[in-house]
Amino acid sequence: MGQISKKPLKNKELATFCEQMAMMLKAGISTLEGISILKESMEDSEGRAILEEVYEELELSGDLHGSFVKTGVFPTYFLNLAGIGERSGRLDEVFSSLAVYYDRQDALSQNIKSAVTYPCVMIGMMLAVILVLVIRVMPIFSRVYEQLGTEMSGISRSIMNMGTWLGRYSLVIVVIAVLLVVLALYFSMTGSGRSRLTAMGRRLPFTKKIYEATALSRFADGMSITLKSGLDSDEGLELSGKLTESPALKEKIEECRKKTAEGTELGEAFKESGVFSGLHARMVNVGILSGSLDQVMERVAEQYAEEANERIAKTVSRLEPTLVAVMSILVGMILLSVMLPLMGIMSGIG
């Protein structure tokens, strides 16, 4: 068997795998046979190699959790829940819940990516247009002025000088642009880069609420899955708290755990620690009283995911006209700075 890629699996890949395993387990197919069926139907060579390794280890040890661990491509949360499901005999339910969880996380990630990518593309296009005007178009107007026996002055002259400078150092500008592209790829394609981008997003005023809603959605999703797997609320808080990258939410979850350990009811602990508030805190209380906290947590996760998506849509809808307006004003100012003096000269000749 060839060497498999040790790149962590993406949310979409995990969602598809969990969904297929859940369907087969619910149909009465054993885990070993299920892995074998998926392995044979897998067209992707890396995916097939991963399942081949899982199958061989499972056939030898009979330990599904250990088989997943050996590949090194499954996330810790997936491994923890798979181990719990295997021990409790509720593996089909766990896989089904994990499929929903990773599907939702994939949708959130894609929306956040689009919200970040769109403004960057717009800004890049805006800068490209302005550079073309300053470096290529402005010199043409300069020559026209020379032919008319005058020269640019004021703002137009300053813009012209800037264009000359940019043209002179165009190679340096290209190198800087390439470095910026490499930096963007680093932020989008590496784990450490994404972590830094996320940390930056949590501080920016117009993206802060998006990341807060996303973190709460992941936490509520995790609580729902752990509760469905038969874990108690304290174990659920511990495991689900590891899902969030938000330091503020981690502190609140830890405070919630301390309060429950002191005897405070879970719903009240959520409210006092600030994890949930308002409607969501009341929903949790109803879930506890009715014995359906896992279902309530799933609904809370859906609501926070919807809130994040709505905030992303609003942010993008506000940025689009703003960027277009800024671009139009800048281009208009550059053109007017050279056209108005030229029109004055032409009218004087007339």
Side-chain angles (χ1 to χ4, degrees), residues 101 105 108 112 198 202 208-222 240-241 243-250 253 275-276 301 304-305 308:
Y101 169 76
Q105 299 316 306
L108 279 171
I112 290 174
T198 300
R202 282 197 296 266
K208 184 178 178 181
K209 293 291 184 181
I210 294 172
Y211 280 95
E212 286 178 1
T214 301
L216 284 165
S217 176
R218 287 176 177 165
F219 169 69
D221 244 333
S240 303
L243 288 174
T244 179
E245 297 176 352
S246 168
L249 183 56
K250 279 183 181 291
I253 293 168
V275 175
F276 296 124
Y304 275 118

Side-chain angles (χ1 to χ4, degrees), residues 191-202:
S192 59
R194 284 193 294 269
S195 297
R196 292 180 183 181
L197 191 63
T198 300
M200 191 187 306
R202 282 197 296 266

